[in-house]
Amino acid sequence: MGTATIQVRVLAVAGRRVWMAVSGTLSGATLRVLHYSLSARATDERTQIYLDLNAVRWDSSLSAAELLRLLPAGARLRFHIVGAHEDFRERLAADARCRLHSDVASAWATWSRQS
């Protein structure tokens, strides 16, 4: 079995909005890397992070408790989650900071309407 890797790319920045695309395998080890990457971009309590997870493979051994530790703390942070695995979407649906998008077009339409 190979080592799980994850790649995080910042695709766009506009004011307090950041669009990040993630690829690779989300496992216990790579979840910490992604969490730190998100935390580094959440420089202001009003930061909005658009997180494109379409190219992420989910490690089946990743527990629900681990998944919930992905997003950085901050009551005013907002996360636009694009293309998340169904199990992850279910867990994030209860987080008022998250807006789930079924596809990139939906998230981009929201991004484009903001100033």
Side-chain angles (χ1 to χ4, degrees):
M1 181 171 168
T3 302
T5 60
I6 201 150
Q7 181 179 19
V8 182
R9 296 171 315 281
V10 174
L11 301 181
V13 177
R16 293 185 180 107
R17 292 174 291 151
V18 179
W19 191 297
M20 301 169 78
V22 182
S23 60
T25 302
L26 190 62
S27 65
T30 61
L31 183 133
R32 286 186 290 280
V33 171
L34 182 52
H35 172 83
Y36 293 133
S37 294
L38 294 172
S39 296
R41 286 294 173 176
T43 56
D44 180 285
E45 262 291 302
R46 294 168 292 181
T47 300
Q48 293 189 48
I49 296 175
Y50 287 71
L51 190 59
D52 183 344
L53 301 174
N54 279 303
V56 171
R57 292 175 303 282
W58 302 85
D59 185 330
S60 60
S61 67
L62 193 61
S63 72
E66 287 176 301
L67 279 174
L68 294 176
R69 291 195 297 256
L70 173 62
L71 302 178
R76 293 179 65 194
L77 293 175
R78 296 294 175 256
F79 300 94
H80 293 263
I81 309 296
V82 183
H85 184 272
E86 187 59 36
D87 290 340
F88 192 44
R89 290 175 62 89
E90 289 175 13
R91 285 168 180 81
L92 289 177
D95 189 335
R97 303 175 309 155
C98 294
R99 179 166 178 198
L100 305 175
H101 297 275
S102 58
D103 55 31
V104 172
S106 167
W108 183 251
T110 301
W111 172 286
S112 299
R113 284 191 303 268
Q114 296 175 335
S115 54

